[in-house]
Amino acid sequence: MMWAITLALALSPGYEVVGDSIPEPLAGAVGDPARGREIVTSRQTGLCLLCHSGPFPEERFPGDLAPSLAGVGARLSEGRIRLRIVDPGSLDPDTIMPSYYRADGLDRVAEAWRGRPILSAGQIEDVVAFLATLKD
């Protein structure tokens, strides 16, 4: 079991927070908006639609616990979107949104996810690339 924790830490390289954003892509990854849309709308991978709604008319029963994703690309830079996905608790300690990339120092994490990120750096960048396209 120790190797899993070591592997997870290797998969979660550091990032630099500047103000309220992570301006540089994680691990130098370049995101793909089409793959990002798949992650955002997936009820198995990203689970974003449990809490968020957005411009996804084909998706039934979106959540209403969090802000709509419609227009997020017009409201936030890619760096600001990235920080909100990587570590939303750094902006709002009371948020119910999980940290999709940060894996250390978290206390309300299911045993299966302790010490490992929910999404890889590449997946985070895919989601950022997609959300940045949502301008309306």
Side-chain angles (χ1 to χ4, degrees), residues 29-89:
V30 176
D32 178 282
R35 286 192 311 253
R37 187 181 200 291
E38 290 175 21
I39 294 167
V40 167
T41 59
S42 169
R43 302 277 179 171
Q44 287 77 41
T45 307
L47 300 171
C48 303
L49 299 183
L50 287 177
C51 297
H52 296 277
S53 63
F56 320 109
E58 73 283 5
E59 297 298 329
R60 298 179 51 185
F61 310 116
D64 62 2
L65 295 173
S68 171
L69 297 175
V72 69
R75 294 189 307 273
L76 301 174
S77 68
E78 287 186 12
R80 292 176 74 202
I81 293 170
R82 187 175 294 109
L83 179 57
R84 282 152 179 78
I85 299 167
V86 166
D87 186 14

Side-chain angles (χ1 to χ4, degrees), residues 1-13 114-117:
M1 193 62 147
M2 183 62 124
W3 67 268
I5 292 171
T6 303
L7 179 60
L9 293 175
L11 293 174
S12 301
R114 288 202 181 139
R116 59 182 262 220

Side-chain angles (χ1 to χ4, degrees), residues 24-26 29-32 82 120-130:
E24 297 299 321
L26 302 177
V30 176
D32 178 282
R82 187 175 294 109
S120 70
Q123 289 173 312
I124 296 287
E125 293 307 319
D126 291 340
V127 171
V128 169
F130 170 63

